[in-house]
Amino acid sequence: MDEQVLINELLNPKTQRQAFEKMVQTYSERLYWIVRRLVLTHDNANDVLQNTFIKAWSRLSSFRGDAKLLTWLSRIALNESIDFLRKEQKAQVVSADEEMGVGAMLMADSYFDGEEVQAILQEAIAQLPEVQRTVFTLRYYEEMKYSEMSKLLDTSEGSLKASYHIAVKKISEYFHSRD
């Protein structure tokens, strides 16, 4: 479907509900994986994704159309993911999942179909500061260009490149420390 047609339908009160359903169908999977790589577990990713679409619905009237629909939705999804991670960090409740580590938690997740090395990579990514984790996830998994990321995160390409480089270095050090 042509994005401009979808946007026009989203902004028209008569076609808004059906267009929103199309939008959810079109972008859910892509957004799910952006969120999942940040919040790690399937259940948390589904919760954040649901919040993303609730927020998108409530803010449809403020969508100006100067960005792609996916960029707008991705920004909402990233903000929701970061909010989720901050709330989780503030709670500072040590659960059994946290005690066993991110890698073990992922290996125990029935929705995780990766290998041990992927679980270790997720452990390393989880150790990164929030900004580096976000930049690494978008660049490595989503193969997002720095120019697009710059618009999404509202920061300079230079700082994004630096954050990515530092993240890669830290991840590499994490893997070497496990040898």
Side-chain angles (χ1 to χ4, degrees):
M1 169 174 236
D2 180 24
E3 184 172 286
Q4 192 55 51
V5 171
L6 182 58
I7 291 170
N8 291 341
E9 289 177 358
L10 282 167
L11 299 176
N12 180 344
K14 293 180 181 178
T15 57
Q16 193 172 56
R17 189 170 298 278
Q18 289 176 335
F20 189 79
E21 289 174 14
K22 287 180 201 172
M23 182 183 74
V24 170
Q25 289 175 330
T26 303
Y27 297 111
S28 283
E29 186 174 351
R30 181 95 187 261
L31 292 171
Y32 169 84
W33 285 108
I34 291 172
V35 170
R36 172 76 187 263
R37 290 184 179 109
L38 290 169
V39 302
L40 299 180
T41 67
H42 172 73
D43 291 337
N44 290 341
N46 275 341
D47 290 346
V48 171
L49 186 61
Q50 183 176 6
N51 290 341
T52 297
F53 284 118
I54 290 170
K55 191 159 279 182
W57 175 258
S58 69
R59 293 186 176 172
L60 269 178
S61 62
S62 68
F63 180 69
R64 297 182 310 262
D66 54 352
K68 289 183 175 183
L69 202 50
L70 180 60
T71 302
W72 181 68
L73 290 168
S74 296
R75 185 174 206 146
I76 295 171
L78 284 172
N79 287 336
E80 288 296 309
S81 298
I82 290 167
D83 286 349
F84 172 83
L85 291 170
R86 285 180 182 154
K87 287 175 188 171
E88 199 172 69
Q89 192 175 38
K90 280 184 182 177
Q92 293 183 356
V93 175
V94 179
S95 68
D97 289 342
E98 291 168 346
E99 286 177 11
M100 74 170 137
V102 172
M105 180 179 70
L106 284 172
M107 294 302 283
D109 185 346
S110 60
Y111 291 99
F112 181 73
D113 61 356
E115 299 172 0
E116 184 180 0
V117 74
Q118 291 173 324
I120 295 169
L121 175 59
Q122 289 303 320
E123 253 178 34
I125 294 169
Q127 304 292 320
L128 296 172
E130 181 181 297
V131 172
Q132 291 172 9
R133 183 180 342 150
T134 303
V135 171
F136 181 84
T137 299
L138 293 174
R139 182 76 178 150
Y140 182 79
Y141 289 111
E142 301 301 317
E143 299 177 356
M144 191 177 284
K145 295 177 183 176
Y146 289 112
S147 58
E148 190 177 344
M149 223 186 298
S150 175
K151 292 174 189 169
L152 187 64
L153 300 173
D154 198 27
T155 190
S156 73
E157 289 183 40
S159 66
L160 293 170
K161 289 176 182 178
S163 290
Y164 182 76
H165 176 75
I166 293 167
V168 169
K169 186 176 179 179
K170 287 179 180 179
I171 290 169
S172 178
E173 289 170 358
Y174 186 85
F175 269 89
H176 290 302
S177 72
R178 293 184 55 90
D179 290 339

